[in-house]
Structure formats: structure tokens, C-alpha cells
Amino acid sequence: MDQAAIDALGNLTVPAQRHIINGQTVAASDGQDMEVLSPLNGQRLTTVAKGTKADMDAAVAAARAAFEDRRWAGQTPAARKNILLKWAELIDTHALELAVLGVRDNGTEISMALKAEPGSAAATIRYYAEAIDKHYGEIAPTQDGFLGLIHKEPVGVVGAIIPWNFPLMIGAWKLAPALAMGNSVVLKPAETASLSLMRLVELAHEAGLPPGVLNAVTGEGPVVGEAMALSMDVDVLVFTGSGGTGRRLLTYAAQSNLKRVYLELGGKSPNIVFADAPDLQEAAKVAAFGIFRNAGQVCVAGSRLLVEAAIHDDFVAEVARVAEAMKVGNPLDLSTEIGAVNSENQLRQNLQFVTTAVEEGGTIATGGGQVLQETGGYFMAPTIITDVAPKATLAQQEVFGPVLAVTPFNDEADAIRLANDSIYGLAGGVWTANLSRAHRMIGAVRTGVIHVNTYGGPDVTVPLGGVGQSGNGHDKSLHALEKYTNLKTAWIKL
Ligand code: ADP
């Protein structure tokens, strides 16, 4: 990877961004824009259109028209597959440009963004492109004289509300399967990470996606996101973000057309380290990287470290050593391991969590504060807090920042009890060389994803989804296609 090329891209002026509706770039209906501040230095990066309800309604209408005349779903599977494959190829060609633009907007360190953003978006789009001509309906085993056909139809218009931590990766998790199944889509990027996603939408059109099939409206969640969720003409709403917004979306669905709503929400994922872990040094390194990369702004981050009491002190010291050696700094520098916190507001919330944790009896083992203030950007030291009581705020609430809560446990039953003492159930990790214990823990820990002797697996082939208040439905894998299809039974008398 070439630092000079990254620096050159990092110095480019970013043009003002408008909506993309029906294949055209359009300004907000009332002409308003909103400022985009870069978390790297707190400076104005560019502006994006500040969308209105009228803009969202226009985008939904364009998506509906494109769906009704079958300009996309009516193409042959091979033709649709070729367009999506071309799109993935364009993303690869523009990978560095997309990654740098995204980093300047959201603050992720470039070493991670390069892989997790354009890299995984292209891989996801290829995966679902290949599924287009391999996904078919069924014939039910009915009695003689009847035929029961089960068709898998597109749902129509899909609304997708995307968060700011990994806009391209998470965007592709929703867009690719929705488009592969023949739907039209309206996209609402996050206020603080619109730019790379809007560029992704432009590339889709360059690849030959017909106008109106993929539309994108920028602006404030409570305005354009709400208009999308309240629309009578959006059939399925998919969302990744906070629990509070997820709750609101369910209400909007109830207040409008009862659209199906799929939520991927937060987590307080337990990473559980037993004394019999195969390699404690590796476990410590992965524990640190599993919470501190992207400044902890990862939905599956292992934010609760549960450590067997016998090894607690030595293990925490090792995690702290790894954390202190991680380089916090300019997200556009290839050697940076922890980039910027996404916004000033988010940074303030992170720091408040640290203050509360200490008030509730926690001990700061390392970090705890803002760093690199002189840059004007939003940076925080990787922070480890020990003595976190199971009911403490830091053990129960998601920070979405570089703050690790550590709690000791005595035995397997104690570890399971602590791990499951959560409203969330997104991800978890178990470190043990005991095969039977590993399988017992897989069964006992209530999460959608569990890792054994590793943490974090980016592969698109496996589903990602939560239980409890971490949400419903799955991104990734062929199972995700179910969200974007309706089953239709055709019952025929022969
Ligand atoms: P966070 O608190 O992590 O920013 P949010 O859930 O607020 O998470 O944001 C995730 C996405 O949800 C963003 O695209 C945001 O614009 C959108 N959003 C926020 N509030 C609403 C709302 N009331 N209705 C619809 N979308 C919203």
C-alpha cells in the first residue's frame, strides 16, 4: 500500500454531495445543505444535501416506478449478475479513493478501512451476484392431482438506513442481497458517513444499474430516515444502528403500512477467557484488537472481558501492554492502529462512560482520556477499566467506543451467568483448549455469533445477527436473501 497515494487523495477537495434519485444528482427540495466535519481535524470537509420529506418521497416513488416496470427484476438473471459483478470490479478499481474518502468522513484507520470497506463491499456484492442464478423456488410434496409451487418474489421497495462505522461494508450487506433478489432500494446513509456510500451508488450506475433501482437520500435521521420509515410505499426496512432508533422504526412501521423491519442493533459482547486458553498471549492480543480497532466503533466489539480469577491480574496486564503499544493517530497514516472517534458528540459520550465507571467503583488500568487534542480531531486512548461490577453501567450499556470493561469469574457456571446477564445478544468469544467446554459454552452463551479461540470473522458466507435487544434477522450468507423475498404459494389442481 502506498502512503504517498493515500496522502494525495487525502488532500483533495471534496465536492458538495447531492442526492441520487432516479439516476440523477439532485439538490434538496428546499435547496439546503448540511456541513460535513472531518473527525480527523474537526474541520469542514464538504457539504451534503440536507434532505426533506419531499426528497425521500421522490426517491421512494422513483424506486416504486422502477420496480413496477420491471426494468431490473425483468432482466435475465445473467444480465443482472453481470451488472453486479461489474459494480464489484469498479469498487476494486476505486478502492483506495473510496477508502480515503470514507476515512476522512468517519475516522476509521485506513489499514482497517481498506479491507473492511471497499474490499468487503466488493466481496459481498460478488457473493450475492453469484447467488442470483442459483436461488430458486420450490415444489411442495402435495397429494396426487395437485401441484403446490412456492415462488420466491422480490418484496418491492427496500429502505435501508446505514450507520457510520462501516458504511460501505454494512451498506453492501443490505444493498447486494436486496438488489440480487430484484428489488428497488432507497438508501439513507448516516449524517457523519455519507460520502463513500454515495460514491458507491454512483459506481452502481456506472456499472449499468438502471436509474431508479438504487436511490440515495442524505440528511438527518429524524427527518429523512423517519420519512422513509413512515412511508406507505416502502415494503421492507433494514437498519443497523442504535437500539433507540430501532425502537422508533418499529413504531413508524406500526403507524404506517406494517412494513417488515429488520434491526441489527448494539451489543455488549462478552469475551470470556479461561485459564486453560491455548495461548494467553494471543488471547490478550486479540482481546485488545477486538475492542480497540476502529476506536471500538464495531457492533460486535468484545467490550466485556470476562477473565478467570486465577489468571486475571496477569492477563489484564498483558492486554494493557498490547493496548498501550497500539498507535492512536492520523487515520490516513498506514501505521495507525486506532483512528478517530466519529464525532465530537460520540467522544464526549465515551468520556462520560469512563467517569461513570469510576464513580461506580471501576479502576482505570490504562487510558481513560482524550488524546491528540492539538490536531483538532476526536481521539481517545484505548481504555481498560477493571473491577467493573456485573450491574455497573459499563457492564450493561454499550459505549461504542474504545473502552473495555473487565470482570473476573470463578468457574464455568459463573462465566455463563455473567455473559448472559445482558439485554443484548450479538456476539461473544470463548478462549479454552478444552473441546467439551468450548461446545458447552457455544450452547450456553445467548448470542447470535460466538467465536472460539479467535474474535471477529469477516467472511460473508456466515450469517450475522443478534438475539434479545441486539435485533432480529441476519445480514450476510444466503439466509439474508429471505429478508428481501416474499414466498408466494401457487396451488394448482391438475
Ligand atoms: P448512532 O447513535 O450510533 O449514530 P443511530 O441509530 O442514531 O446510531 O444512527 C444510525 C442511522 O439511523 C443513521 O443513518 C441515522 O441517520 C439514522 N436515524 C437516526 N434517527 C433516526 C430516526 N428517528 N428515524 C430514522 N432513522 C434515524
Side-chain angles (χ1 to χ4, degrees):
M1 226 59 75
D2 182 355
Q3 186 65 56
I6 292 170
D7 293 343
L9 286 165
N11 287 324
L12 292 179
T13 305
V14 181
Q17 179 67 56
R18 301 180 147 188
H19 305 315
I20 301 173
I21 301 176
N22 216 11
Q24 308 283 319
T25 52
V26 290
S29 63
D30 61 5
Q32 289 218 48
D33 290 320
M34 59 187 202
E35 302 258 297
V36 175
L37 299 183
S38 176
L40 279 56
N41 51 23
Q43 303 289 311
R44 178 178 178 279
L45 183 58
T46 185
T47 60
V48 297
K50 188 174 180 186
T52 61
K53 178 178 181 305
D55 298 334
M56 182 50 73
D57 291 346
V60 173
R64 176 59 60 189
F67 183 71
E68 293 302 332
D69 71 14
R70 294 186 62 76
R71 72 186 76 159
W72 174 238
Q75 292 192 26
T76 63
R80 278 189 280 137
K81 175 163 136 178
N82 281 337
I83 290 172
L84 294 191
L85 290 175
K86 174 78 184 160
W87 186 19
E89 194 187 310
L90 286 174
I91 292 167
D92 280 343
T93 315
H94 293 271
L96 200 59
E97 173 205 330
L98 284 162
V100 172
L101 183 62
V103 166
R104 295 174 78 190
D105 200 6
N106 86 337
T108 302
E109 59 278 4
I110 188 83
S111 58
M112 174 169 240
L114 274 166
K115 278 183 267 175
E117 284 283 276
S120 90
T124 299
I125 291 166
R126 281 199 182 92
Y127 177 84
Y128 289 107
E130 287 295 347
I132 291 178
D133 54 5
K134 298 171 193 69
H135 183 73
Y136 4 136
E138 298 160 7
I139 302 175
T142 51
Q143 69 194 82
D144 279 0
F146 290 91
L147 189 59
L149 301 180
I150 303 166
H151 292 274
K152 294 181 177 174
E153 299 189 327
V155 298
V157 175
V158 173
I161 300 179
I162 310 298
W164 43 260
N165 56 337
F166 293 105
L168 297 184
M169 177 175 79
I170 295 174
W173 288 349
K174 322 278 189 200
L175 300 181
L179 292 171
M181 291 297 96
N183 298 286
S184 294
V185 179
V186 180
L187 185 66
K188 211 300 282 173
E191 291 85 329
T192 53
S194 306
L195 300 172
S196 59
L197 204 43
M198 296 306 279
R199 184 74 185 112
L200 197 80
V201 173
E202 284 174 11
L203 293 176
H205 289 94
E206 250 178 69
L209 194 73
V213 175
L214 175 56
N215 308 277
V217 176
T218 53
E220 294 176 338
V223 179
V224 282
E226 181 181 310
M228 175 191 278
L230 281 170
S231 169
M232 295 300 287
D233 218 15
V234 169
D235 300 290
V236 164
L237 186 63
V238 287
F239 171 75
T240 296
S242 65
T245 302
R247 240 172 244 282
R248 259 176 236 121
L249 298 182
L250 290 171
T251 310
Y252 298 147
Q255 286 167 349
S256 54
N257 63 343
L258 296 174
K259 58 181 68 66
R260 294 209 306 258
V261 181
Y262 295 104
L263 305 173
E264 206 264 87
L265 307 173
K268 192 79 209 183
S269 298
N271 190 18
I272 308 161
V273 183
F274 287 96
D276 65 5
D279 180 345
L280 284 168
Q281 226 167 351
E282 168 76 1
K285 183 174 171 219
V286 175
F289 277 66
I291 176 67
F292 298 133
R293 291 309 297 274
N294 200 17
Q297 301 164 135
V298 179
C299 56
V300 297
S303 53
R304 273 192 299 155
L305 182 63
L306 307 180
V307 189
E308 191 162 350
I311 57 164
H312 177 275
D313 293 358
D314 288 347
F315 189 77
V316 173
E318 182 61 16
V319 181
R321 199 191 58 73
V322 176
E324 284 159 12
M326 288 176 85
K327 185 181 162 199
V328 187
N330 180 359
L332 287 174
D333 188 331
L334 276 166
S335 64
T336 291
E337 292 170 300
I338 302 176
V341 174
N342 178 253
S343 65
E344 196 175 5
N345 191 31
Q346 187 69 34
L347 175 63
R348 236 181 299 115
Q349 284 178 37
N350 294 348
L351 297 171
Q352 183 55 50
F353 268 107
V354 175
T355 306
T356 305
V358 171
E359 280 165 11
E360 293 180 4
T363 308
I364 298 177
T366 188
Q370 185 178 357
V371 291
L372 304 172
Q373 281 99 324
E374 67 280 7
T375 62
Y378 319 129
F379 296 92
M380 182 168 173
T383 299
I384 299 176
I385 304 194
T386 55
D387 307 311
V388 177
K391 293 293 180 200
T393 305
L394 195 64
Q396 294 293 330
Q397 291 184 21
E398 181 178 45
V399 177
F400 217 64
V403 183
L404 181 63
V406 188
T407 306
F409 67 83
N410 296 316
D411 55 21
E412 199 176 303
D414 196 24
I416 293 167
R417 190 179 52 74
L418 287 171
N420 289 340
D421 182 8
S422 177
I423 60 167
Y424 294 114
L426 190 54
V430 178
W431 296 81
T432 177
N434 179 327
L435 183 67
S436 300
R437 167 177 278 164
H439 282 286
R440 281 196 301 271
M441 294 299 288
I442 290 171
V445 176
R446 281 196 304 270
T447 57
V449 180
I450 183 111
H451 307 88
V452 178
N453 297 332
T454 182
Y455 202 96
D459 211 298
V460 69
T461 57
V462 293
L464 172 67
V467 299
Q469 292 187 33
S470 288
N472 63 316
H474 292 93
D475 284 321
K476 311 201 291 178
S477 84
L478 294 179
H479 295 285
L481 297 175
E482 291 157 24
K483 297 191 293 192
Y484 306 103
T485 48
N486 285 330
L487 297 181
K488 178 189 272 176
T489 300
W491 188 245
I492 305 170
K493 185 165 187 233
L494 300 178

